[in-house]
Amino acid sequence: MIKKKIRVGIVGGSMNNKWASQTHIPALLKHLNLDITAVGTSRMESARQSAEEVGAALAFDDSKKLAASEDVDMVVVSIKVPHHYEAVMAAVQERKHIFCEWPLGANTAEAAKMAKAAGLAGIHHTVGLQARQDLEVQTMKKLVEGGEIGEIISCHMQVATPGKGGQVNQDTAYLLNRANGANLLTINGGHSLDALQYIVGEFRELSAITSTRYNEATIQETGEVISKDTADQILIHGLLEKGVPVSVHIQGGVNSKFEIEIQGKKGILRLTQNLSLGHVQFGNLTLEKLVYDPSSTQSHGPNGSFEQISITREPNTSLDFPKQGVTLNVAKAHYVFAEDILTHTRLAPDFNHALKLHQLLDRIEESAATGKKNRMVR
């Protein structure tokens, strides 16, 4: 890495923000090329307190003022999805590099405007789809591409979370309002579908069914019952770009699970999550392989057992994090993005990539609404 500092301002950088304080902030503080110079929150008091705690000189209660600061080169947007657009466009206007959480926008129209504006501004931009930084995900991709289990026959993914069903807390109640753009499909589905496509290729065509089994939810702290207009059952089946059949089941308000199983002519690869919350981007994944015994008289029968794949992790003294987990994946995403900025490369998933993922989610909802098969637009 080049010995140069990138000055970072965090919109939503309050130490009370559970996501930013557990992911972005520790990742930035340990990065040799990134310095937190500004913290922005909704209240000046919390901004000043958080800035002092992380050693930042500047505090803001306005994302536009943070983006306009001469002491900020890069803006991290880590706030609720409905507010992404304003914060991102403020940074674009000031021609600051941007790391924005996923989903990029509250809808595809917002994402399209942000992608276009960022492209015209000539800045570096990335979206927080950090599951692709997980070493197990990367290893599964390499094994698929290297023919470890032969030609792929089919692929199945299951994503399940206790959240986004009939129980909710006050902080996450907004996830049950479809207009906010943050829900089971966009968050759990978006991260998982991005990881799936990263490993085995993009969708060529799909059909989908969505269902809302919980029309109301109870806020745990108060007992208040609120309405819910987001789907908690999402089923997708289709073909990937090489004709591989794929099925996906995403569900909320149920017991947690995450699994991708890829069937090949020579064996099976299986990716599961330990102590899952239905969020692949949180890491803590286990990769297993079953290879068929070519001497068996059974054809592709249960003639073997799954074995965990041992993955060698290269030591990195500047990444003093647990071997797995969400903080490590976010830290790795920051490393890729910082290197893009410093070496003028474009390896991190950018706003255009985010726009394509938004469009995929639109095709899923459109198919569910019309009952028709959708082909992807290339």
Side-chain angles (χ1 to χ4, degrees):
M1 183 71 76
I2 298 171
K3 292 183 178 180
K4 183 180 178 182
K5 294 290 187 180
I6 301 170
R7 299 169 299 175
V8 182
I10 310 176
V11 178
S14 170
M15 293 304 289
N16 294 323
N17 179 331
K18 293 180 181 178
W19 180 255
S21 65
Q22 294 176 13
T23 58
H24 291 292
I25 290 173
L28 293 168
L29 288 175
K30 293 181 180 180
H31 198 296
L32 298 178
N33 296 99
L34 299 173
D35 273 350
I36 303 176
T37 56
V39 172
T41 71
S42 59
R43 295 183 301 110
M44 184 57 76
E45 180 183 359
S46 67
R48 288 191 179 118
Q49 290 175 348
S50 298
E52 182 178 356
E53 194 167 339
V54 302
L58 303 173
F60 297 92
D61 60 1
D62 185 329
S63 60
K64 293 181 180 179
K65 292 179 180 178
L66 182 148
S69 172
E70 294 181 354
D71 295 306
V72 171
D73 305 311
M74 166 185 155
V75 176
V76 174
V77 177
S78 182
I79 50 180
K80 290 181 178 179
V81 177
H83 308 298
H84 282 189
Y85 182 81
E86 181 180 1
V88 166
M89 295 302 275
V92 168
Q93 185 174 351
E94 299 295 337
R95 296 184 182 276
K96 302 298 173 69
H97 306 301
I98 309 168
F99 186 129
C100 182
E101 280 294 342
W102 169 264
L104 178 57
N107 51 59
T108 302
E110 284 189 357
K113 291 177 183 177
M114 286 187 270
K116 181 178 180 180
L120 292 174
I123 58 174
H124 283 271
H125 42 94
T126 190
V127 65
L129 291 165
Q130 66 272 6
R132 58 179 51 220
Q133 301 302 332
D134 194 280
L135 195 51
E136 277 70 21
V137 171
Q138 293 175 345
T139 302
M140 192 179 205
K141 175 181 175 66
K142 290 177 183 177
L143 293 176
V144 168
E145 293 177 345
E148 184 74 12
I149 57 172
E151 182 182 347
I152 304 304
I153 298 172
S154 67
C155 180
H156 171 73
M157 180 169 72
Q158 185 174 357
V159 183
T161 178
K164 305 176 182 69
Q167 298 286 328
V168 69
N169 58 42
Q170 289 176 320
D171 288 340
T172 58
Y174 82 105
L175 301 176
L176 305 186
N177 183 343
R178 188 175 181 277
N180 288 325
N183 51 61
L184 181 68
L185 177 60
T186 62
I187 298 177
N188 304 72
H191 281 286
S192 300
L193 289 165
D194 183 67
L196 178 70
Q197 292 189 123
Y198 176 70
I199 294 167
V200 287
E202 296 183 356
F203 278 84
R204 189 171 79 190
E205 61 182 51
L206 62 83
S207 298
I209 297 171
T210 61
S211 177
T212 302
R213 307 304 295 168
Y214 294 95
N215 294 301
E216 296 178 334
T218 302
I219 298 179
Q220 294 170 340
E221 295 91 338
T222 65
E224 179 188 358
V225 176
I226 61 173
S227 61
K228 172 179 173 293
D229 67 353
T230 55
D232 44 61
Q233 292 289 325
I234 302 159
L235 297 99
I236 309 158
H237 67 268
L239 297 176
L240 299 177
E241 53 194 4
K242 293 184 179 180
V244 175
V246 59
S247 65
V248 178
H249 189 184
I250 305 166
Q251 50 187 331
V254 297
N255 197 41
S256 295
K257 185 174 182 179
F258 175 82
E259 179 178 290
I260 295 176
E261 187 168 281
I262 303 173
Q263 298 271 353
K265 290 185 176 180
K266 295 181 181 179
I268 307 169
L269 289 172
R270 179 187 292 166
L271 184 71
T272 56
Q273 187 172 45
N274 307 314
L275 301 174
S276 176
L277 291 174
H279 292 274
V280 62
Q281 71 276 17
F282 287 6
N284 297 316
L285 301 170
T286 297
L287 180 59
E288 298 172 292
K289 177 177 68 174
L290 186 156
V291 177
Y292 297 131
D293 182 357
S295 64
S296 172
T297 57
Q298 292 180 301
S299 176
H300 295 251
N303 47 31
S305 59
F306 279 94
E307 295 182 358
Q308 184 172 341
I309 295 175
S310 177
I311 298 175
T312 303
R313 303 177 190 279
E314 296 182 5
N316 188 330
T317 56
S318 61
L319 276 179
D320 184 22
F321 299 115
K323 290 183 179 180
Q324 287 188 316
V326 64
T327 307
L328 176 60
N329 288 345
V330 172
K332 290 173 70 176
H334 275 293
Y335 268 78
V336 173
F337 189 50
E339 190 159 3
D340 274 352
I341 294 171
L342 295 171
T343 62
H344 307 291
T345 52
R346 298 275 178 176
L347 300 178
D350 62 13
F351 287 4
N352 295 308
H353 177 89
L355 176 58
K356 285 186 66 177
L357 187 55
H358 272 285
Q359 291 168 338
L360 172 64
L361 301 184
D362 283 352
R363 299 290 82 76
I364 291 168
E365 291 194 309
E366 182 181 316
S367 175
T370 64
K372 296 180 181 179
K373 181 187 297 184
N374 264 332
R375 288 187 173 273
M376 300 304 103
V377 178
R378 301 297 182 198

